[in-house]
């Protein structure tokens, strides 16, 4: 007797369904995508018990003929592509022809649909992949799909479903994404008979207010940029409106929502260090690229995508985000006493600085950016002394400032390093320095070589087990060998998975190691140099890790502490 058998069709169907239909939210996602592909103007999503009991998605799209409605439930039956070449230029959300058959394999499904040309509509009942009924019914144009008792025939999968609350929140998340991606559509979400949101056709910002709430909409900054073949537009929140996770970040690629680390990262790096550690912004960003520059066929549920040129994407997104932030003269809020911000604002207004970006700034050249930030450096300060060998105390026209000498110096070195990288400035060593590193360390240097070279190192192979350094970053004040050894052990300790984070880590390490430390007595001259350099920083308010560099105690705050005012 043979041990191997070919699986029966219904088992195969159930296995395949697992790829597309993981949970109620994936059903909702597929059905909304179908409605959008069918050009619906209005989509109504209703569900019960976290979608485990029932999900109904109703649209006013193009609908289907009786013949197509039956075909739609066949695996790999689609109206969206015809041949392999079409895969290169997909403009619809679906194309695999897998959603309906997959859903039907693991639930009780009813579909009512009518196309423009037909007088009567079609009703199909299908359970566990088996068509039970096909009949003519009267129906409005469009399609309604009801999905009942998900996983009723796959108890093992059913067990893996989470609580009603958890499944509910996933469904809300999915629908939120689509509601944000398609402001021109009317999207209505109803849970157990209660409206979650109702977003009629509106402009982008209004739509954000409908879906995410007025509060968030108010904090949003417009992002817009076109470069090469990449177009990006939408909104990002100011750095003081953040969340402890990425759930506020909504990114769409060619109208398809994606949850891609690489894209989240690009947006976050656009904030440079305006965000505090472990804080994530809100954003609603639409990225458009020609369909042949992106592969959406990476994941069956199509949540990640693959770009032909990731670097270009990263560059455009990062720039777009940064440019939206610049005119806002943003100082991170949480760590600076509230009064000071008022004070700073007053100062700015006294200097008659524009609160809105000047029209001329629309096309920003690097020089203009410098100038603009120039207006917003720290106030002039006069040194009073150093306390605890760690903090510089200074006075400014409005009060007292405390500066964390290490954080400040890190910031200064960090920006200097970034500038030198932009300008490709390095220190040439008079004679190449031969390093005595272990075999493992040398291998690691090769592994990170590209990023190390971006920062300003240049290596050459020397002997079998040796490596020589020719150039080092401008700000490196430590012994090269010692520095590299520490850096490698740090990278090892953090076990980097993402290549994109290596460069940042190297930059921060160069900036941090060799910076003035805490518990280090400083001469007045040294302190003066720190303050003057800090004032010239683009973002003097935080260190590269997001800690504050300076705290202001203004007159009002001091008076309050002495209870002179209430
Ligand atoms: P895909 O979307 O990948 O083509 P599906 O299984 O989701 O595969 O749907 C199969 C086909 O059924 C679609 O190609 C489309 O022609 C049709 N269809 C599905 N949902 C709708 C809808 N809401 N309105 C009109 N046609 C639909
Ligand atoms: Mg589909």
């Amino acid at each position: 007797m043979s041990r191997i058998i070919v699986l029966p069709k219904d088992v195969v169907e159930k296995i395949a369904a697992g790829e597309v239909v993981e949970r109620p939210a994936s059903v909702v996602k597929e059905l909304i995508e179908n409605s959008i592909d069918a050009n619906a103007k209005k989509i109504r999503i209703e569900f019960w018990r976290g979608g485990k009991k029932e999900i109904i998605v109703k649209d006013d799209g193009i609908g289907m003929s009786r013949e197509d409605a039956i075909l739609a439930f066949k695996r790999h039956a689609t109206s969206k592509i015809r041949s392999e070449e079409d895969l290169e230029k997909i403009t619809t959300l679906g194309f695999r022809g897998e959603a309906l058959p997959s859903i039907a394999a693991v639930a009780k499904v009813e579909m009512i649909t009518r196309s423009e040309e037909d007088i009567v509509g079609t009703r199909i009942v299908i359970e566990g992949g088996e068509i039970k009924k096909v009949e003519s019914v009267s129906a409005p144009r469009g399609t309604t799909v009801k999905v009942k008792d998900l996983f009723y025939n796959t108890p093992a999968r059913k067990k893996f479903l989470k609580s009603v609350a958890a499944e509910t929140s996933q469904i809300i998340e999915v629908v939120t994404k689509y509601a944000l991606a398609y402001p021109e559509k009317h999207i209505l979400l109803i849970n157990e008979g209660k409206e979650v949101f109702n977003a009629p056709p509106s402009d982008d910002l209004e739509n954000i207010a409908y879906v995410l709430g007025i509060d968030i909409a108010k904090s949003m900054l417009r992002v817009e940029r076109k470069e090469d073949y990449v177009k990006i537009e939408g909104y990002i929140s100011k750095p003081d409106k953040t969340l402890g996770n990425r759930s506020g970040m909504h990114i769409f690629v060619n109208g398809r929502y994606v949850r891609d680390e690489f894209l989240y990262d690009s947006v976050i790096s656009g904030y440079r260090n305006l965000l505090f550690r472990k804080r994530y912004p809100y954003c609603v960003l639409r990225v458009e690229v020609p369909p042949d520059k992106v592969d959406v066929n990476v994941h069956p549920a199509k949540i990640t995508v693959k770009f032909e040129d990731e670097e270009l994407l990263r560059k455009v997104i990062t720039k777009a985000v940064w440019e939206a932030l610049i005119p806002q003269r943003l100082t991170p809020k949480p760590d600076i006493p509230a009064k000071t911000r008022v004070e700073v604002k007053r100062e700015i207004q006294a200097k008659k600085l524009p609160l809105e970006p000047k029209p001329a700034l629309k096309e920003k050249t690097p020089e203009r950016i410098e100038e603009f930030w120039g207006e917003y450096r720290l106030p002039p300060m006069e040194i009073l002394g150093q306390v605890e060998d760690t903090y510089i105390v200074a006075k400014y026209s409005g009060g007292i400032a405390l500066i964390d000498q290490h954080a400040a110096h890190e910031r200064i070195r960090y920006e200097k390093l970034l500038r030198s990288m932009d300008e490709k400035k390095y220190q040439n060593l008079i004679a190449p320095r031969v390093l005595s590193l272990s075999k493992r360390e040398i291998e690691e240097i090769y592994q990170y070589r590209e990023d190390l070279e971006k920062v300003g190192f240049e290596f050459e192979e020397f002997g079998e087990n040796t490596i020589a350094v020719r150039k080092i970053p401008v700000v490196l004040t430590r012994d090269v060998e010692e520095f590299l050894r520490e850096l490698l052990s740090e990278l090892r300790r953090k076990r980097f998975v993402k290549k994109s984070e290596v460069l940042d880590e190297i930059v921060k390490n160069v900036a941090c190691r060799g910076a003035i430390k805490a518990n280090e007595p400083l001469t007045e001259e040294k302190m003066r140099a720190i303050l003057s350099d800090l004032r010239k920083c683009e973002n003097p308010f935080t260190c590269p890790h997001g800690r504050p560099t300076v705290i202001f105690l203004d007159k009002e705050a001091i008076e309050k502490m002495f209870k002179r005012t209430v």
Side-chain angles (χ1 to χ4, degrees):
M1 212 180 85
S2 163
R3 279 190 303 124
I4 299 176
I5 58 156
V6 174
L7 290 170
K9 185 169 158 279
D10 61 325
V11 179
V12 175
E13 291 281 301
K14 280 183 194 168
I15 293 173
E19 289 214 336
V20 182
V21 187
E22 226 177 335
R23 52 178 7 99
S26 22
V27 172
V28 172
K29 173 179 187 285
E30 294 296 336
L31 296 180
I32 296 186
E33 288 192 348
N34 280 348
S35 297
I36 292 170
D37 283 345
N39 264 326
K41 289 201 173 63
K42 181 170 180 183
I43 307 169
R44 182 179 191 277
I45 303 104
E46 190 165 12
F47 66 98
W48 288 266
R49 312 277 320 142
K52 297 191 222 183
K53 185 158 174 266
E54 189 167 359
I55 296 166
I56 304 179
V57 175
K58 179 173 196 263
D59 69 50
D60 60 357
I62 58 171
M64 280 168 272
S65 67
R66 185 186 184 109
E67 195 187 353
D68 278 352
I70 296 169
L71 267 176
F73 286 100
K74 287 230 152 50
R75 196 158 288 281
H76 306 302
T78 179
S79 57
K80 299 168 194 175
I81 55 171
R82 303 254 153 228
S83 63
E84 193 188 330
E85 291 87 77
D86 290 350
L87 274 179
E88 304 279 308
K89 41 180 198 292
I90 288 163
T91 54
T92 51
L93 297 169
F95 61 86
R96 296 167 165 269
E98 285 189 317
L100 290 180
S102 296
I103 295 166
V106 291
K108 298 174 184 165
V109 176
E110 181 187 331
M111 181 166 84
I112 296 173
T113 185
R114 182 174 72 81
S115 71
E116 186 77 65
E117 303 81 53
D118 294 316
I119 304 160
V120 289
T122 307
R123 175 169 177 264
I124 295 184
V125 178
I126 175 166
E127 282 177 17
E130 214 177 298
I131 297 194
K132 299 273 177 192
K133 194 184 270 177
V134 181
E135 60 183 5
S136 295
V137 292
S138 81
R141 195 195 84 159
T143 305
T144 303
V145 181
K146 290 188 196 176
V147 179
K148 268 193 183 159
D149 298 335
L150 187 62
F151 299 141
Y152 78 101
N153 55 351
T154 50
R157 308 268 315 276
K158 191 168 181 160
K159 262 207 313 246
F160 277 103
L161 290 179
K162 299 210 181 98
S163 65
V164 167
E167 297 296 346
T168 298
S169 91
Q170 297 236 16
I171 291 182
I172 293 177
E173 190 192 325
V174 166
V175 184
T176 299
K177 302 261 181 200
Y178 282 100
L180 289 171
Y182 294 91
E184 72 282 6
K185 297 196 187 295
H186 187 168
I187 298 184
L188 182 60
L189 177 62
I190 299 163
N191 174 18
E192 309 259 349
K194 281 198 279 299
E195 201 177 280
V196 180
F197 63 74
N198 183 357
S202 47
D203 70 33
D204 259 5
L205 198 56
E206 244 173 43
N207 191 56
I208 291 175
Y210 280 125
V211 181
L212 299 178
I214 294 259
D215 201 35
I216 291 166
K218 274 191 187 152
S219 150
M220 290 293 197
L221 302 171
R222 174 96 187 134
V223 172
E224 214 171 342
R225 188 174 182 93
K226 216 180 151 200
E227 194 177 322
D228 228 316
Y229 57 75
V230 183
K231 205 177 125 198
I232 165 165
E233 61 163 347
Y235 287 87
I236 58 167
S237 65
K238 293 176 191 163
D240 52 21
K241 191 96 200 158
T242 56
L243 277 176
N245 56 50
R246 296 170 171 188
S247 66
M249 300 181 72
H250 308 279
I251 305 178
F252 308 95
V253 175
N254 294 353
R256 184 190 300 277
Y257 99 72
V258 291
R259 203 177 310 172
D260 204 300
E261 284 302 312
F262 155 74
L263 292 170
Y264 290 147
D265 262 17
S266 306
V267 173
I268 292 165
S269 34
Y271 279 79
R272 302 209 186 165
N273 340 83
L274 289 175
L275 295 172
F276 283 94
R277 236 188 308 184
K278 303 236 167 74
R279 298 302 297 177
Y280 304 91
Y282 288 87
C283 69
V284 177
L285 289 174
R286 247 175 283 280
V287 179
E288 301 283 339
V289 295
D292 61 331
K293 301 290 185 200
V294 58
D295 183 5
V296 293
N297 201 358
V298 180
H299 187 276
K302 297 161 292 183
I303 294 230
T304 62
V305 290
K306 186 110 197 65
F307 293 102
E308 189 183 281
D309 186 352
E310 274 203 357
E311 272 316 301
L312 175 68
L313 260 292
R314 176 181 288 279
K315 196 178 83 187
V316 180
I317 295 173
T318 309
K319 259 196 211 165
V321 168
W322 179 238
E323 282 194 345
L325 290 164
I326 289 172
Q328 297 295 317
R329 57 151 229 304
L330 296 155
T331 61
K333 262 183 201 168
D335 292 54
I336 299 172
K339 285 283 158 39
T340 312
R341 281 198 320 278
V342 175
E343 186 69 36
V344 169
K345 205 186 239 163
R346 243 184 256 144
E347 252 176 56
I348 288 162
Q349 277 159 351
K351 281 195 233 153
K352 292 214 174 42
L353 293 176
L355 288 174
E356 294 301 319
K358 298 177 203 159
L361 279 164
K362 281 264 151 81
E363 290 166 73
K364 291 174 210 85
T365 61
E367 300 80 55
R368 286 219 190 94
I369 291 170
E370 292 257 328
E371 253 172 51
F372 198 70
W373 272 96
E375 309 278 22
Y376 300 121
R377 283 167 203 152
L378 303 173
M381 289 180 271
E382 191 186 314
I383 292 165
L384 299 175
Q386 188 190 24
V387 275
E388 294 291 312
D389 290 342
T390 301
Y391 307 102
I392 302 169
V393 187
K395 70 176 184 185
Y396 67 102
S397 70
I400 299 169
L402 292 171
I403 295 99
D404 180 318
Q405 64 193 40
H406 174 67
H409 201 218
E410 263 190 335
R411 159 58 57 184
I412 294 163
R413 290 170 53 84
Y414 179 72
E415 291 200 6
K416 203 164 159 193
L417 181 59
L418 290 184
R419 265 197 309 277
S420 76
M421 284 166 66
D422 278 348
E423 293 161 12
K424 305 219 178 318
K425 267 201 219 141
Y426 317 113
Q427 296 181 55
N428 280 308
L429 297 179
I430 302 165
R433 167 84 186 275
V434 181
L435 305 177
S436 43
L437 297 173
S438 71
K439 214 168 167 136
R440 175 188 187 180
E441 286 166 331
I442 291 175
E443 259 168 37
E444 286 170 333
I445 287 191
Y446 280 120
Q447 183 190 338
Y448 300 129
R449 184 171 186 168
E450 202 183 312
D451 287 320
L452 285 165
E453 292 191 336
K454 280 190 196 142
V455 189
F457 288 99
E458 195 180 297
F459 301 98
E460 59 184 31
E461 291 126 86
F462 221 65
E464 181 126 309
N465 289 323
T466 50
I467 193 163
V469 189
R470 284 185 148 279
K471 291 181 187 165
I472 60 173
V474 200
V475 299
L476 192 74
T477 41
R478 294 277 305 279
D479 177 72
V480 208
E481 189 175 309
E482 202 178 74
F483 170 79
L484 286 170
R485 197 169 276 146
E486 282 171 12
L487 172 75
L488 295 176
S489 90
E490 180 85 8
L491 289 170
R492 224 175 284 140
R493 198 173 56 79
K494 297 205 170 159
R495 271 188 232 105
F496 278 99
V497 258
K498 268 179 290 166
K499 218 177 153 278
S500 60
E501 282 181 2
V502 173
L503 181 62
D504 192 47
E505 194 59 30
I506 295 175
V507 169
K508 283 179 184 162
N509 260 278
V510 177
C512 175
R513 285 162 207 273
I516 290 166
K517 294 215 172 60
N519 298 312
E520 201 177 315
L522 299 178
T523 60
E524 189 171 334
E525 205 185 322
K526 192 98 207 186
M527 290 192 267
R528 213 174 298 126
I530 291 180
L531 289 194
S532 118
D533 287 347
L534 187 64
R535 284 190 70 209
K536 288 180 205 140
C537 283
E538 262 183 37
N539 170 19
F541 299 100
T542 62
C543 79
H545 310 285
R547 282 198 307 112
T549 51
V550 46
I551 287 174
F552 293 106
L553 282 177
D554 63 4
K555 186 162 160 262
E556 271 173 80
I558 297 170
E559 282 179 343
K560 209 163 166 188
M561 282 189 271
F562 284 113
K563 308 229 179 292
R564 282 173 166 270
T565 55
V566 272

